[in-house]
Amino acid sequence: MTPARSRALAAATLTALLLTAAPAAPTHAAPGRPAAPPHLAGDHTVPVYSYADAVRESVQVETPTDADGDGVRDRVMVDLVRPRETAQAGVRVPVIMDASPYYHCCGRGNESERKTYDANGVIAKAPLFYDNWFVPRGYAFAAVDLSGTARATGCEDVGGRAEVAGAKAVVDWLNGRARGFTLDGEPVTASWSTGRVGMIGKSWDGSVANGVAATGVRGLETIVPISAISSWYDYQRYRGLLRASDYPAYLHQVVNGRPAEACAAVLARLRADSAEDTGDYNAYWAERDYRRSVEQVRASVLVAHGVNDLNVTTGQFARWWDALADRQVPRRLWLYQAGHEDPFDVRRAEWVATLHRWFDYWLQGLPNGVMREPRATLETAPGVWTEQRDWPAPGTRNVPVALGAGDGTTGTLGGPGARPGVVRAYTDESLTEPQVVTEPTTARAGRLVFLSGALTAPLRISGTPSVRLRIRVDRPTTALSARLVDYGTAERIQYRSSEGVRTLATESCWGESTVADDACYRDTAEITAVTDHGVLTRGWLDAAHHRSLRFTSPLRPDRWYTVTLPLNAYDAVLPAGHVLGLVLAQSDPGFTETDDRDATVSVDLGRSTLTMPVTGRATLPSAPVAPDVVTAPAAPSDGRAAPPDNRQLPGRS
């Protein structure tokens, strides 16, 4: 397909999606009332303003923090694009804002776009399509450099007070509560703004949106966190286990836009206060745990997340979602099969249509019915989408599943289980994931495998599974890891390869363009393959944190302990004929770092249970002694090599 034809097809598709609601109402006013702005057409906004002639300006907004300790309040840089025609007519507009640490160092989106500026230092190109699409429709767009990054002053404290306060200050400035300055240092206000702000962003950017919403700042009407963090502890620690060493410092150094000496003290505090030596949850992590302040959230929330995201794992959205639900916060959810991806690169036309209607409702106040639609949009298999009333799926119930001894090599999952006192033991072998999950009926040191029988009907898992284990450990601690695996041939998203999305040669355009900032992006497609198994979800725990994440409780070798290991949230339908597997291991070099190896763990099967959130009255058939599950051969052992560096950037693409 040629680029021109691709653009035309995308435009036609999106037009149809946007105009399926009520016909546009005339824009003339009732007698005695002012005429509605031309960008308002009934229940949606339309592109009537020139993007090429838009006002482009760069504003420094003063924050309440002095992170670099220079005696002067920090300033974040706000690069703005807004309609010139509304400014000339005295019509105020709402603001869509993406606050990011990546505008200078790493870029945004699938094509890693960066900001560019004209000779006067004023924004010429903002990454992504938000300004191209929404500015002609009566919105302003703000691309904000977070404290200590790009052209901002201060220091980046990785999810902490300075980062959140800097982005919040922009919302305050747009509402007349904070000070702004031109590049020449002259005071400037946002008199053109309605004060209604919607924050959007992927991963780190979306995490900032979560953090600002948790302050309860007035004027922030909605947030759209995509693959976002709601607790930085859960991102850098897996229930007491170190994901990677020196992680906070690594993230700070990657995005830092200041001279190293300006932020040396902040960097030292990141290293000292994050408690890497213990893995404990402390005051440092509490400051970066936005779920603790969920009761302050005033904004509506549109969450998007890939169910196979191994960078920002699904527990981040699920625990945030549950907390929002408890507070009855208006919310919607998109879940898709890819990994750490933006839905713009998964289901482009439908996502843009959803964003358009969401912002029209929450920022323009247009009664388009978006909040009367099903709350959850899900991709249940590659390219198969559905909508449901809520998430987890309505009717989901937590079902306990017994662990059985099986044939001595492979245990059973479901059925009568094992009597108390039936014990199986395994010694830490630091296995890679392929070694852990392949050939489940083959004896392999370092793991325990439990299999159901072949499913007699499809099994829907929707929510957060967990494993309750009764264990005895011959060391003061060890890493514990667990996986749910779908054994059976199916076409699956290959999320370990480019997050499950490939970039195509064609492109499509989403909004208006200028010479400096085009609205055209390379098209994408899911990467799929027919495989004989797929890992559904994973979970990890440092056994010495079984009582609390705030302190360690070393294990005694003569005692039995009950530990609960939550797995990451998931949503999947296992077809009839497939087999569900639970695989237990210890240290996990592909995901965590630990020096606590070589432990032997004994598991009392009769007092251990898998809890699964399932819909309907589905049950797991008991497995035969030797279930007929064919899998690929295991990867060659890498022995006891040092674990790889598991540090990732939360949201480069």
Side-chain angles (χ1 to χ4, degrees):
M1 181 181 293
T2 65
R5 184 177 179 187
S6 175
R7 289 194 292 270
L9 178 59
T13 301
L14 189 58
T15 299
L17 285 166
L18 291 173
L19 298 181
T20 53
T27 58
H28 63 268
R33 294 184 181 180
H39 63 274
L40 301 181
D43 65 353
H44 61 282
T45 55
V46 292
V48 297
Y49 305 126
S50 170
Y51 180 71
D53 293 334
V55 176
R56 291 172 170 82
E57 57 187 338
S58 298
V59 176
Q60 297 173 323
V61 171
E62 185 178 79
T63 83
T65 62
D66 176 18
D68 55 9
D70 64 355
V72 179
R73 285 189 176 188
D74 304 330
R75 293 183 180 184
V76 295
M77 183 65 71
V78 185
D79 292 315
L80 290 157
V81 186
R82 55 188 176 89
R84 186 174 300 276
E85 296 91 335
T86 56
Q88 292 172 338
V91 174
R92 297 186 177 191
V93 295
V95 180
I96 296 170
M97 182 170 96
D98 187 346
S100 175
Y102 291 129
Y103 284 127
H104 174 71
C105 75
C106 311
R108 305 308 299 126
N110 187 49
E111 298 173 35
S112 299
E113 292 185 313
R114 292 174 171 82
K115 290 181 180 179
T116 63
Y117 301 91
D118 65 16
N120 297 316
V122 175
I123 187 71
K125 173 185 174 65
L128 307 175
F129 72 96
Y130 303 135
D131 55 329
N132 308 82
W133 183 266
F134 286 103
V135 170
R137 290 169 166 81
Y139 293 84
F141 176 69
V144 180
D145 296 332
L146 292 175
S147 296
T149 71
R151 299 197 296 171
T153 64
C155 294
E156 173 54 68
D157 60 354
V158 191
R161 178 173 178 265
E163 176 181 297
V164 173
K168 175 183 177 291
V170 180
V171 180
D172 285 329
W173 175 70
L174 291 166
N175 283 273
R177 298 188 298 264
R179 298 201 301 169
F181 303 88
T182 67
L183 297 182
D184 296 329
E186 294 298 319
V188 62
T189 63
S191 58
W192 47 266
S193 166
T194 63
R196 300 175 69 86
V197 182
M199 292 186 68
I200 188 171
K202 180 191 168 193
S203 203
W204 199 331
D205 305 15
S207 311
V208 178
N210 285 338
V212 176
T215 70
V217 60
R218 293 186 181 274
L220 183 62
E221 303 297 328
T222 191
I223 62 171
V224 184
I226 302 167
S227 302
I229 295 166
S230 59
S231 164
W232 281 86
Y233 178 87
D234 290 348
Y235 180 72
Q236 297 179 40
R237 304 283 186 269
Y238 289 151
R239 301 194 68 78
L241 283 173
L242 199 65
R243 181 170 179 173
S245 58
D246 209 27
Y247 210 159
Y250 163 77
L251 294 174
H252 167 91
Q253 291 170 317
V254 168
V255 303
N256 181 44
R258 304 293 309 287
E261 60 272 16
C263 295
V266 171
L267 182 60
R269 286 196 297 272
L270 291 176
R271 285 178 162 142
D273 296 347
S274 57
E276 185 167 302
D277 56 331
T278 66
D280 291 352
Y281 179 101
N282 58 15
Y284 171 93
W285 296 110
E287 179 183 319
R288 293 158 175 81
D289 185 351
Y290 310 136
R291 298 194 295 263
R292 294 176 66 247
S293 301
V294 70
E295 71 280 354
Q296 298 189 61
V297 173
R298 301 174 184 271
S300 63
V301 184
L302 169 57
V303 175
H305 215 106
V307 295
N308 290 304
D309 192 337
L310 301 183
N311 185 338
V312 179
T313 52
T314 54
Q316 295 282 355
F317 94 79
R319 292 170 192 160
W320 183 235
W321 177 264
D322 289 344
L324 294 170
D326 289 342
R327 296 288 301 172
Q328 297 185 325
V329 173
R331 64 203 181 279
R332 282 196 64 178
L333 175 67
W334 267 51
L335 291 181
Y336 35 92
Q337 293 288 309
H340 196 63
E341 276 295 338
D342 192 310
F344 183 74
D345 295 316
V346 175
R347 198 186 188 205
R348 187 165 293 180
E350 291 81 0
W351 175 245
V352 175
T354 296
L355 275 185
H356 187 165
R357 300 182 68 238
W358 185 261
F359 285 139
D360 276 1
Y361 182 88
W362 287 104
L363 300 183
Q364 300 280 3
L366 298 179
N368 56 22
V370 70
M371 295 307 294
R372 295 195 299 271
E373 298 172 356
R375 187 170 283 151
T377 300
L378 304 95
E379 185 184 22
T380 57
V384 179
W385 291 82
T386 188
E387 292 186 335
Q388 64 188 33
R389 179 165 48 87
D390 207 344
W391 191 89
T396 297
R397 57 195 177 93
N398 288 323
V399 175
V401 180
L403 310 186
D407 61 2
T409 296
T410 305
T412 60
L413 200 58
R419 68 185 185 279
V422 174
V423 174
R424 290 191 61 193
Y426 63 114
T427 300
D428 189 5
E429 292 288 332
S430 193
L431 301 176
T432 65
E433 183 164 274
Q435 293 169 337
V436 168
V437 302
T438 56
E439 298 181 324
T441 59
T442 299
R444 183 168 295 152
R447 70 175 185 182
L448 296 180
V449 180
F450 303 89
L451 299 176
S452 74
L455 299 176
T456 57
L459 176 69
R460 171 76 179 277
I461 301 173
S462 182
T464 302
S466 64
V467 185
R468 182 177 180 271
L469 299 174
R470 185 70 172 170
I471 61 172
R472 186 169 59 193
V473 184
D474 67 351
R475 299 285 190 275
T477 191
T478 185
L480 297 172
S481 60
R483 288 167 170 81
L484 280 183
V485 187
D486 171 19
Y487 292 106
T489 301
E491 182 180 18
R492 295 181 172 93
I493 298 289
Q494 300 303 288
Y495 57 88
R496 302 301 291 267
S497 174
S498 300
E499 306 297 342
V501 171
R502 70 177 185 273
T503 304
L504 305 178
T506 58
E507 66 177 18
S508 55
C509 301
W510 304 87
E512 296 185 17
S513 300
T514 65
V515 173
D517 190 348
D518 71 87
C520 303
Y521 294 88
R522 298 279 293 275
D523 296 318
T524 56
E526 293 177 324
I527 302 172
T528 66
V530 175
T531 60
D532 57 16
H533 73 280
V535 178
L536 302 177
T537 181
R538 306 156 178 85
W540 305 269
L541 171 70
D542 170 41
H545 282 88
H546 70 280
R547 289 182 180 169
S548 173
L549 297 179
R550 295 180 181 273
F551 55 85
T552 58
S553 301
L555 307 180
R556 291 177 48 174
D558 60 335
R559 290 191 176 180
W560 287 92
Y561 298 87
T562 298
V563 303
T564 298
L565 178 54
L567 279 64
N568 280 306
Y570 208 76
D571 200 289
V573 178
L574 277 64
H578 283 210
V579 170
L580 180 67
L582 170 66
V583 186
L584 305 179
Q586 294 185 54
S587 58
D588 199 350
F591 295 88
T592 65
E593 287 186 16
T594 179
D595 294 327
D596 299 311
R597 299 184 180 179
D598 301 318
T600 295
V601 174
S602 300
V603 181
D604 185 340
L605 301 185
R607 292 185 170 91
S608 300
T609 307
L610 166 67
T611 299
M612 287 203 310
V614 299
T615 61
R617 303 187 63 81
T619 58
L620 288 180
S622 182
V625 172
D628 184 17
V629 179
V630 180
T631 63
S637 172
D638 59 358
R640 294 273 181 177
D645 187 346
N646 294 316
R647 293 176 298 190
Q648 301 181 65
L649 292 179
R652 175 174 178 177
S653 62

